[in-house]
Each structure stands twice: as C-alpha cells, then as structure tokens.
Amino acid sequence: MDSPTPLEPPTNYSELIKTLLSKIEVLVNDNNADEAQPLLNTLNINIKQWCENSEGPSAEQLELIQLRINTILVKANSAKNESSKAIIKHKKSGKAIKAYKASRYNLLK
C-alpha cells in the first residue's frame, strides 16, 4: 500500500497510521531504522491532519499510537546501543591485534 502524500487525504487515518507504524517497525527490526525517516515524516503529517480533521482521533487512539511509537523507539535505541558496543569491541580487538603484532615484531628484532 503506497502511503498518500499530504495533499491526498486518506479515507481512514487510523488504518494508514497503523500501516505506517508497521512499516517503520519492520525497518527497525531489520536494523534499517535509518531508512524510516520518510515514513516518519509521512506519519507525522498524517497524524497532524487527522487531529485537525473534524473526525479526529480519540484520546485513546492517540495514546495507543504513542505507545506503539515508544515501543518502536525502545527497539531502535536498543539496536543502536548493541551496534555501538559491537563497533567499540571491534575497534578494541583491532587495536589488540595491532599491539600483539607490533610486540611480536619487536621480539623478532
């Protein structure tokens, strides 16, 4: 399902927002959160439009959307932290290997 542009109001904001959140969640779960920015922009525009619409969301609907967004953010931050740890570990490992090779080289002199 292609997401509508802000100029093409959807017939059902609730379903569109659920779809966008699902797509964002898939990207986060696949470690592609960086690719989610266009979907986040579309999500933001559509939530604003829905709130400004005469048939806007209920407080409960907004709370559920916020809960889902928070859950996705927790997953994204967790993945980011794990990625950072892996990068640091890799750098430390590389430095240790270089130090070992250097010390071994010095012993052979």
Side-chain angles (χ1 to χ4, degrees):
M1 174 181 161
D2 290 346
S3 56
T5 63
L7 300 176
E8 301 171 15
T11 55
N12 188 339
Y13 282 105
S14 178
E15 288 304 314
L16 174 64
I17 289 168
K18 286 178 188 176
T19 300
L20 288 168
L21 286 169
S22 293
K23 288 180 179 183
I24 293 166
E25 192 168 21
V26 166
L27 288 171
V28 168
N29 290 339
D30 291 344
N31 291 323
N32 292 322
D34 292 339
E35 297 175 23
Q37 190 59 48
L39 293 174
L40 289 168
N41 292 338
T42 302
L43 176 68
N44 187 45
I45 289 167
N46 283 285
I47 290 173
K48 284 181 182 179
Q49 286 179 347
W50 190 19
C51 289
E52 293 168 354
N53 190 311
S54 61
E55 298 174 17
S58 67
E60 182 181 347
Q61 286 172 311
L62 288 174
E63 287 173 5
L64 290 173
I65 291 168
Q66 186 62 51
L67 180 62
R68 183 115 184 251
I69 290 169
N70 288 344
T71 301
I72 293 169
L73 285 173
V74 166
K75 288 179 186 177
N77 285 330
S78 177
K80 179 181 173 184
N81 290 339
E82 289 302 314
S83 178
S84 295
K85 287 178 188 177
I87 290 169
I88 291 169
K89 184 177 180 181
H90 180 72
K91 285 182 180 180
K92 286 182 180 178
S93 175
K95 287 180 182 177
I97 290 169
K98 286 180 185 176
Y100 170 75
K101 286 181 179 178
S103 67
R104 191 170 145 216
Y105 175 76
N106 289 334
L107 289 175
L108 296 175
K109 281 187 171 181

